[in-house]
Amino acid sequence: MSGAPLLPFLSACLRRQLLLAFRRPLEIANPLLFFLLVVMLFPLGIGPDPRQLAEFAPGILWIVALLATLLAAESLFRVDFEDGTLEQLLLTPQPLYLSCLSYVLAHWLLTGLPLTLVAPLFAVMLQLPPPALPALMLSLLLGTAVLSLVGSIGAALTVGLKRGGLLISLLIIPFYVPVLIFGSGAVQFAALGNSAQPQLLVLGGMLSLAIALAPFAIAAGLRISVDAG
Amino acid sequence: MLCVEALVLERGGRLLLNDFSLRVSAGQLVLIEGDNGSGKTSLLRALAGLARYDHTGSIRRSAESLLYLGHKSGLKGLLTPRENLAWYCQSHSQSHGRDQRNADIEAALAAVDLVGFEDVLCHNLSAGQQRRVNLARLYLSPAPLWLLDEPFAAIDRTGVVGLVRTLVQQVERGGAVVMTSHQALQTDHPITRIRLGQA
Amino acid sequence: MWSFFHKLGSPPWLYAISGKILQWLLPVTLLLLAVGAVWGLLYAPADFRQGNSYRIIFVHVPASVVALAGYYVMATAGAISLIWKMKMADVAMRSCAPIGAALTFLALLSGAVWGKPTWGTWWIWDARVTSMLVLFFLYVGVISLYEAFDNEVAAARACAVLSLVGTVNIPIIYKSVDWWYSLHQPASIKFTEESSMHSDMLAPLLLMIVAFYCLFICSLLLYMRGEILRREGTTHWVRKLLLDAGDAHAV
């Protein structure tokens, strides 16, 4: 078994993903625009009362972040599946665990991280109390990484299917439940003036578990999809 | 190098191969022939280890790495030929330095007659040119076993001649090639022909 | 041990042995269900706060418990199918999903019916009902994924991966839903705790849980037999079986 040193491979893989993304810069903005668009819908749907919005803000922000990540995850492997780079990746002597991890990391850098960075802006629009902002950003930082990892499992399993879009929501949203509960829980606690540390620690635990296990499931999913395709 | 025993291959509920055996050793050039739908592509995918659900039987490869060239290009349209090939080298663990790798890539692109197109995005190249970028991998691959599915598709006549020469070189330096083609293979090197379609 | 394992992988053997098991398990199941239902619904004492309406737990709790266990049976079958590539494990996994989904649905339905007299509303976002709803979607996800693939082997592998991901997730989901509920739970609504149940209520409940487990096994075997016949429809032994059945019918 010969293999290149793992770290250079991981960084080469990551650089390639980011280079590809930056050749289509508008697509990076899509999840953010989606985020803003849906945030706009809530005041229109439930009324502009600042107190009511402030009460719902943690839940709204977290649900929208969740849907934005899910939508972006759906197409994570699609182009690579269609142009054959995925099957070539499976034939490389490199550990598929690392390749999958780098795909997810690139995905998170392009969706989860920007969402986290712009979230305070949307939080202000939804009247979230300012003391809750650090908890919001920290919970999104940890939580969106879990969402990317878990969402990629769904993307890997459905990449070869013609009607993957709705199916991935059905497969993955149930797995998002704990992240949503603890993510919005953290923000709610902070908004009431309590410490959100316990919830953030739980999210950190979920992230470690997801990093350890999810790439194996993604790798298995990709092998199955290439095989059936 | 490659040993197939008692292979039963199905696709979509249709039996393509029944009790198929094949032994490929170093220095062999194997040409798989057959009509459309006779299972050539399925067989090559199974040999590459990409399709494992359609068949029963044993496929053993002693070679630790292989080169597979399928219907899908495996190229990124948003990357240039140089970037695509650099990724190929990086992901196949040649631990030469960066300069050595760049020189190898230059040589490979020259060999497939793509000088001057190194830095054009692949989706701006013609179908034949994209195919040539794909074939440039043959000049970069250290893999002893090559599995090539229709390598001559979309390649012009002079290109085919050069390609056949490359295949023969690979076999002569102790490698092996298993390929499919609808075109006649013109070479003095002995060819093992296998005809599919009598399952 | 290994020869038994090997036999499990053979469709005709599994078909024959499941037929023999069903011959006695099916009557036992029906008997258990009947005894448990009569005991629970007629003879167990009424709850001092909820009156007779609590009796729906004799359906709700067994259905919830077995639905959850069914997911783990499905995931175990999936793991066996992934590791040993055993086709009969695929069949078992494929058969678990609709049965589990039906049980989850039954649990949800009985929970809703229970909610009406107890809390005055058909639906309450209580921890157990919410977890059951998530479980229902997990089952539906597996079924939909299976149906979406053309290649049956690939479908089974994909569902096996999905259900294994589910087994890691289910405890996390249950725990987080519990935490979420304790956070938002209004103080006036309180669930009857099973642990503080009177033994006159507990005994028929346990009996019903056992009956539901048997029911699950029976349905699983019946469904698997159907699947086996569908998949092996063109093979020699199934044809022979059908011919024999036809002869017996004619006589």
Side-chain angles (χ1 to χ4, degrees), chain A residues 81-97:
Chain A
F81 177 79
E82 277 157 11
D83 66 18
T85 32
L86 207 54
E87 62 185 24
Q88 291 297 337
L89 186 70
L90 297 188
L91 294 173
T92 62
Q94 310 293 347
L96 201 50
Y97 179 93

Side-chain angles (χ1 to χ4, degrees), chain B residues 10-11 52-54 56, chain C residues 82 85 151 153-154 157:
Chain B
E10 269 180 56
R11 188 82 188 167
R52 291 159 303 160
Y53 302 153
D54 292 329
T56 55
Chain C
L82 275 183
K85 314 216 177 325
N151 182 325
V153 188
R157 297 282 188 279

Side-chain angles (χ1 to χ4, degrees), chain A residues 90-147:
Chain A
L90 297 188
L91 294 173
T92 62
Q94 310 293 347
L96 201 50
Y97 179 93
L98 280 186
S99 323
C100 293
L101 202 59
S102 78
Y103 267 83
V104 179
L105 191 57
H107 176 256
W108 178 76
L109 286 173
L110 295 167
T111 56
L113 189 62
L115 279 184
T116 308
L117 294 178
V118 298
L121 186 68
F122 300 140
V124 170
M125 288 166 73
L126 289 175
Q127 319 292 339
L128 187 77
L133 286 183
L136 175 71
M137 290 188 73
L138 274 174
S139 68
L140 280 176
L141 196 70
L142 295 168
T144 50
V146 184
L147 297 181

Side-chain angles (χ1 to χ4, degrees), chain A residues 4-99:
Chain A
L6 297 178
L7 218 54
F9 172 68
L10 192 65
S11 82
C13 213
L14 196 61
R15 255 183 297 141
R16 175 166 180 270
Q17 292 293 322
L18 294 179
L19 179 64
L20 279 166
F22 286 119
R23 294 251 158 105
R24 282 245 189 280
L26 267 180
E27 280 177 19
I28 303 175
N30 277 347
L32 295 179
L33 290 174
F34 176 81
F35 198 4
L36 178 60
L37 202 68
V38 182
V39 163
M40 180 188 81
L41 291 181
F42 276 91
L44 293 175
I46 62 181
D49 177 15
R51 263 176 312 154
Q52 209 177 13
L53 281 180
E55 196 186 329
F56 289 149
I60 296 173
L61 287 166
W62 253 95
I63 292 174
V64 179
L66 185 151
L67 292 179
T69 319
L70 184 67
L71 276 184
E74 196 259 320
S75 57
L76 180 56
F77 299 110
R78 192 160 299 278
V79 180
D80 287 34
F81 177 79
E82 277 157 11
D83 66 18
T85 32
L86 207 54
E87 62 185 24
Q88 291 297 337
L89 186 70
L90 297 188
L91 294 173
T92 62
Q94 310 293 347
L96 201 50
Y97 179 93
L98 280 186
S99 323

Side-chain angles (χ1 to χ4, degrees), chain A residues 2 4 12-13 16 19-20 23-24 80-85 87-88 91-94 223-224 226-227, chain B residues 11 45 48 50-53 64 66 68 72-76 78-79 83 87 90-93 121 137:
Chain A
S2 78
C13 213
R16 175 166 180 270
L19 179 64
L20 279 166
R23 294 251 158 105
R24 282 245 189 280
D80 287 34
F81 177 79
E82 277 157 11
D83 66 18
T85 32
E87 62 185 24
Q88 291 297 337
L91 294 173
T92 62
Q94 310 293 347
R223 282 198 192 282
I224 292 164
V226 166
D227 205 316
Chain B
R11 188 82 188 167
R45 285 179 65 84
L50 285 172
R52 291 159 303 160
Y53 302 153
E64 66 179 26
L66 59 86
Y68 169 76
K72 293 176 176 174
S73 70
L75 299 177
K76 283 272 155 219
L78 286 174
L79 296 181
E83 288 161 345
W87 165 249
Q90 281 165 338
S91 64
H92 281 81
S93 74
L121 291 188
R137 292 192 287 148

